Structure formats: structure tokens, C-alpha cells
């Protein structure tokens, strides 16, 4: 309800998996049951765990795993800069490069990407 975010994993000019933000498969979306974050006045960019939905980056990693696709050494294209929770998943999944369009400042995410040696670049819209 707050943002429409998409993610694509690519390797060797081939799309490996796609993901978008939303509720887990088979569960009702926030549009149907109400937004927990809005109802609790939780600002954007904090307390990510208080949400029914998954982030696009989480879903793209899960989709690859679900279909048995290795994403080690891949590149992530995402409409938003990954949060710290997604950053940890991205690092452990072996994704090497991230391109994003927009996002909020998350110093811990930036620090972790730098320490892990990932290339993170903002695309000019």
C-alpha cells in the first residue's frame, strides 16, 4: 500500500528470478486487511519486521531458492535501495552487485555492503 517495489536478479545477461513487495503467497494483502504499519503510525524505514508483506529483495531470493536457481555472483536490479534486513540476505545469497533507482538512507546497510565488498550504485532515472 505504501510503495510498489520490484526486483530482478540477472546473471550473464539472463533473468534468474523476479520479486515484488507483498504478502506471502496465499495470504490476504494489506489492501484487504488493513496496513499494520499505518494503523500503528510506524514511519517508513524503521521496524521492518512489523509488516505482513515481504520486500521485493526477499521475494526475489525466495523465488530463486524455490525454483532451485543459484544466484551466487548475480546482479540485483531493484526500484528501491535495500534495507538492512534485505542487505544481510543479499550478502549471504552471494549477490555481487546492486543497482537501485531510489531509496532512503540506511547507514548500517551501506556499511555492511562496503564491508562485504558489494558494488552498490544508484541509477539515474
Amino acid at each position: 500500500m505504501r510503495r510498489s517495489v520490484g526486483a530482478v536478479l540477472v546473471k550473464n545477461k539472463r533473468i534468474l528470478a523476479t520479486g515484488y513487495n507483498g504478502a506471502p503467497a496465499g495470504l490476504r494483502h494489506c489492501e484487504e486487511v488493513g496496513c499494520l504499519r499505518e494503523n500503528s503510525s510506524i514511519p517508513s524505514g524503521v521496524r521492518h519486521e512489523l509488516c505482513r508483506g515481504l520486500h521485493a529483495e526477499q521475494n526475489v531470493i525466495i523465488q530463486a531458492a524455490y525454483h532451485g536457481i543459484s544466484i551466487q555472483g548475480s546482479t540485483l536490479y531493484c526500484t528501491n535501495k535495500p534495507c538492512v534486513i534485505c542487505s544481510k540476505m543479499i550478502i549471504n545469497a552471494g549477490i555481487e552487485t546492486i543497482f537501485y533507482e531510489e531509496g532512503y538512507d540506511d547507514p548500517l546497510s551501506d556499511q555492511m555492503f562496503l564491508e562485504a565488498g558489494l558494488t552498490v550504485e544508484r541509477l539515474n532515472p
Side-chain angles (χ1 to χ4, degrees):
M1 290 175 63
R2 289 180 164 195
R3 294 178 187 224
S4 296
V5 181
V8 178
L9 280 171
V10 177
K11 187 173 182 181
N12 298 325
K13 298 182 180 181
R14 184 174 153 241
I15 295 174
L16 302 177
T18 62
Y20 57 89
N21 61 324
L27 299 185
R28 293 177 297 157
H29 195 275
C30 300
E31 291 174 344
E32 298 173 73
V33 298
C35 178
L36 174 66
R37 295 178 61 81
E38 281 186 16
N39 293 341
S40 300
S41 300
I42 299 168
S44 182
V46 298
R47 303 295 314 264
H48 301 286
E49 74 279 8
L50 298 176
C51 181
R52 289 179 58 85
L54 291 153
H55 288 186
E57 302 94 326
Q58 294 168 331
N59 264 330
V60 76
I61 292 169
I62 292 166
Q63 284 302 308
Y66 185 84
H67 294 287
I69 299 167
S70 173
I71 57 175
Q72 184 173 5
S74 64
T75 297
L76 173 69
Y77 293 88
C78 194
T79 53
N80 282 74
K81 183 178 177 184
C83 71
V84 70
I85 294 171
C86 292
S87 298
K88 292 182 273 189
M89 294 176 67
I90 289 164
I91 292 165
N92 275 357
I95 296 167
E96 293 181 352
T97 307
I98 300 165
F99 292 100
Y100 69 96
E101 189 174 55
E102 58 186 41
Y104 46 86
D105 190 35
D106 190 334
L108 182 55
S109 178
D110 294 337
Q111 178 186 352
M112 294 181 88
F113 283 142
L114 182 64
E115 187 177 338
L118 271 74
T119 301
V120 180
E121 186 175 325
R122 184 174 184 174
L123 298 171
N124 292 327

Tab-separated table of all heavy atoms in Angstrom, residues 35-57:
chain	number	residue	atom	x	y	z
A	35	CYS	N	-3.388	-1.938	6.795
A	35	CYS	CA	-1.936	-1.845	6.936
A	35	CYS	C	-1.560	-1.736	8.407
A	35	CYS	O	-1.893	-0.740	9.078
A	35	CYS	CB	-1.398	-0.633	6.172
A	35	CYS	SG	0.386	-0.404	6.332
A	36	LEU	N	-0.874	-2.730	8.905
A	36	LEU	CA	-0.417	-2.748	10.294
A	36	LEU	C	0.477	-1.556	10.604
A	36	LEU	O	0.366	-0.937	11.658
A	36	LEU	CB	0.342	-4.061	10.552
A	36	LEU	CG	1.017	-4.227	11.908
A	36	LEU	CD1	-0.036	-4.283	13.008
A	36	LEU	CD2	1.854	-5.491	11.906
A	37	ARG	N	1.336	-1.187	9.660
A	37	ARG	CA	2.277	-0.082	9.876
A	37	ARG	C	1.542	1.258	9.938
A	37	ARG	O	1.817	2.073	10.807
A	37	ARG	CB	3.346	-0.080	8.780
A	37	ARG	CG	4.227	-1.333	8.836
A	37	ARG	CD	5.246	-1.362	7.726
A	37	ARG	NE	6.155	-0.245	7.770
A	37	ARG	CZ	7.225	-0.176	8.565
A	37	ARG	NH1	7.509	-1.161	9.382
A	37	ARG	NH2	8.010	0.884	8.540
A	38	GLU	N	0.616	1.471	9.035
A	38	GLU	CA	-0.143	2.721	9.053
A	38	GLU	C	-1.032	2.804	10.292
A	38	GLU	O	-1.118	3.855	10.935
A	38	GLU	CB	-0.988	2.861	7.789
A	38	GLU	CG	-0.186	3.310	6.594
A	38	GLU	CD	-1.061	3.594	5.383
A	38	GLU	OE1	-2.295	3.746	5.538
A	38	GLU	OE2	-0.496	3.667	4.284
A	39	ASN	N	-1.666	1.704	10.639
A	39	ASN	CA	-2.555	1.693	11.806
A	39	ASN	C	-1.794	1.926	13.111
A	39	ASN	O	-2.371	2.385	14.093
A	39	ASN	CB	-3.326	0.375	11.882
A	39	ASN	CG	-4.301	0.219	10.732
A	39	ASN	OD1	-4.665	1.188	10.074
A	39	ASN	ND2	-4.712	-1.009	10.474
A	40	SER	N	-0.494	1.606	13.122
A	40	SER	CA	0.342	1.789	14.318
A	40	SER	C	1.229	3.027	14.218
A	40	SER	O	2.096	3.225	15.074
A	40	SER	CB	1.206	0.545	14.531
A	40	SER	OG	0.407	-0.595	14.703
A	41	SER	N	1.058	3.818	13.158
A	41	SER	CA	1.840	5.046	12.933
A	41	SER	C	3.348	4.787	12.926
A	41	SER	O	4.128	5.544	13.492
A	41	SER	CB	1.496	6.110	13.978
A	41	SER	OG	0.135	6.443	13.907
A	42	ILE	N	3.755	3.715	12.270
A	42	ILE	CA	5.179	3.374	12.164
A	42	ILE	C	5.742	4.085	10.947
A	42	ILE	O	5.256	3.901	9.832
A	42	ILE	CB	5.372	1.853	12.036
A	42	ILE	CG1	4.816	1.155	13.281
A	42	ILE	CG2	6.850	1.514	11.836
A	42	ILE	CD1	4.689	-0.340	13.149
A	43	PRO	N	6.773	4.909	11.127
A	43	PRO	CA	7.338	5.645	9.984
A	43	PRO	C	8.067	4.726	9.012
A	43	PRO	O	8.537	3.646	9.379
A	43	PRO	CB	8.303	6.639	10.629
A	43	PRO	CG	8.556	6.145	11.999
A	43	PRO	CD	7.423	5.243	12.385
A	44	SER	N	8.165	5.169	7.788
A	44	SER	CA	8.875	4.430	6.746
A	44	SER	C	10.349	4.286	7.112
A	44	SER	O	10.948	5.197	7.677
A	44	SER	CB	8.742	5.166	5.406
A	44	SER	OG	9.382	4.443	4.396
A	45	GLY	N	10.913	3.129	6.810
A	45	GLY	CA	12.337	2.915	7.025
A	45	GLY	C	12.718	2.339	8.370
A	45	GLY	O	13.890	2.091	8.621
A	46	VAL	N	11.755	2.106	9.255
A	46	VAL	CA	12.053	1.532	10.566
A	46	VAL	C	11.097	0.386	10.875
A	46	VAL	O	10.018	0.290	10.285
A	46	VAL	CB	11.969	2.584	11.703
A	46	VAL	CG1	12.980	3.694	11.502
A	46	VAL	CG2	10.579	3.165	11.818
A	47	ARG	N	11.510	-0.472	11.797
A	47	ARG	CA	10.689	-1.596	12.271
A	47	ARG	C	10.112	-2.415	11.114
A	47	ARG	O	8.922	-2.703	11.061
A	47	ARG	CB	9.573	-1.099	13.192
A	47	ARG	CG	10.003	-0.303	14.414
A	47	ARG	CD	10.826	-1.082	15.426
A	47	ARG	NE	10.356	-2.392	15.782
A	47	ARG	CZ	9.608	-2.680	16.849
A	47	ARG	NH1	9.244	-1.728	17.665
A	47	ARG	NH2	9.246	-3.927	17.078
A	48	HIS	N	10.981	-2.816	10.201
A	48	HIS	CA	10.561	-3.570	9.012
A	48	HIS	C	9.839	-4.871	9.352
A	48	HIS	O	9.039	-5.370	8.555
A	48	HIS	CB	11.772	-3.884	8.135
A	48	HIS	CG	12.505	-2.684	7.664
A	48	HIS	ND1	12.023	-1.861	6.682
A	48	HIS	CD2	13.689	-2.156	8.051
A	48	HIS	CE1	12.883	-0.885	6.477
A	48	HIS	NE2	13.894	-1.034	7.304
A	49	GLU	N	10.144	-5.420	10.526
A	49	GLU	CA	9.541	-6.699	10.896
A	49	GLU	C	8.050	-6.572	11.204
A	49	GLU	O	7.330	-7.569	11.221
A	49	GLU	CB	10.289	-7.306	12.106
A	49	GLU	CG	10.016	-6.641	13.437
A	49	GLU	CD	10.790	-5.363	13.726
A	49	GLU	OE1	11.480	-4.836	12.831
A	49	GLU	OE2	10.690	-4.868	14.859
A	50	LEU	N	7.577	-5.351	11.420
A	50	LEU	CA	6.162	-5.136	11.724
A	50	LEU	C	5.392	-4.857	10.437
A	50	LEU	O	4.966	-3.745	10.166
A	50	LEU	CB	6.004	-3.983	12.721
A	50	LEU	CG	6.656	-4.203	14.082
A	50	LEU	CD1	6.515	-2.960	14.952
A	50	LEU	CD2	6.068	-5.416	14.787
A	51	CYS	N	5.241	-5.894	9.650
A	51	CYS	CA	4.559	-5.777	8.360
A	51	CYS	C	4.150	-7.163	7.891
A	51	CYS	O	4.889	-8.130	8.088
A	51	CYS	CB	5.518	-5.128	7.348
A	51	CYS	SG	4.799	-4.905	5.712
A	52	ARG	N	2.999	-7.261	7.261
A	52	ARG	CA	2.554	-8.538	6.697
A	52	ARG	C	3.330	-8.891	5.435
A	52	ARG	O	3.405	-10.047	5.055
A	52	ARG	CB	1.069	-8.459	6.322
A	52	ARG	CG	0.124	-8.414	7.481
A	52	ARG	CD	-1.324	-8.314	6.989
A	52	ARG	NE	-1.733	-9.393	6.122
A	52	ARG	CZ	-2.198	-10.562	6.536
A	52	ARG	NH1	-2.293	-10.805	7.814
A	52	ARG	NH2	-2.558	-11.496	5.682
A	53	GLY	N	3.866	-7.888	4.788
A	53	GLY	CA	4.472	-8.100	3.480
A	53	GLY	C	5.955	-8.444	3.529
A	53	GLY	O	6.641	-8.225	4.518
A	54	LEU	N	6.403	-8.981	2.426
A	54	LEU	CA	7.821	-9.236	2.189
A	54	LEU	C	8.339	-8.151	1.259
A	54	LEU	O	7.606	-7.640	0.409
A	54	LEU	CB	8.014	-10.592	1.501
A	54	LEU	CG	7.711	-11.804	2.355
A	54	LEU	CD1	7.286	-12.963	1.485
A	54	LEU	CD2	8.934	-12.168	3.166
A	55	HIS	N	9.603	-7.828	1.388
A	55	HIS	CA	10.228	-6.880	0.475
A	55	HIS	C	10.523	-7.574	-0.855
A	55	HIS	O	10.671	-8.801	-0.909
A	55	HIS	CB	11.522	-6.334	1.071
A	55	HIS	CG	11.299	-5.383	2.197
A	55	HIS	ND1	12.314	-4.680	2.792
A	55	HIS	CD2	10.165	-5.006	2.851
A	55	HIS	CE1	11.838	-3.907	3.744
A	55	HIS	NE2	10.526	-4.097	3.804
A	56	ALA	N	10.615	-6.804	-1.909
A	56	ALA	CA	10.887	-7.350	-3.235
A	56	ALA	C	12.198	-8.130	-3.247
A	56	ALA	O	12.303	-9.185	-3.882
A	56	ALA	CB	10.942	-6.217	-4.260
A	57	GLU	N	13.202	-7.627	-2.525
A	57	GLU	CA	14.502	-8.305	-2.482
A	57	GLU	C	14.381	-9.667	-1.791
A	57	GLU	O	15.006	-10.643	-2.207
A	57	GLU	CB	15.530	-7.451	-1.722
A	57	GLU	CG	15.744	-6.076	-2.306
A	57	GLU	CD	14.878	-5.000	-1.670
A	57	GLU	OE1	13.721	-5.291	-1.281
A	57	GLU	OE2	15.349	-3.854	-1.564
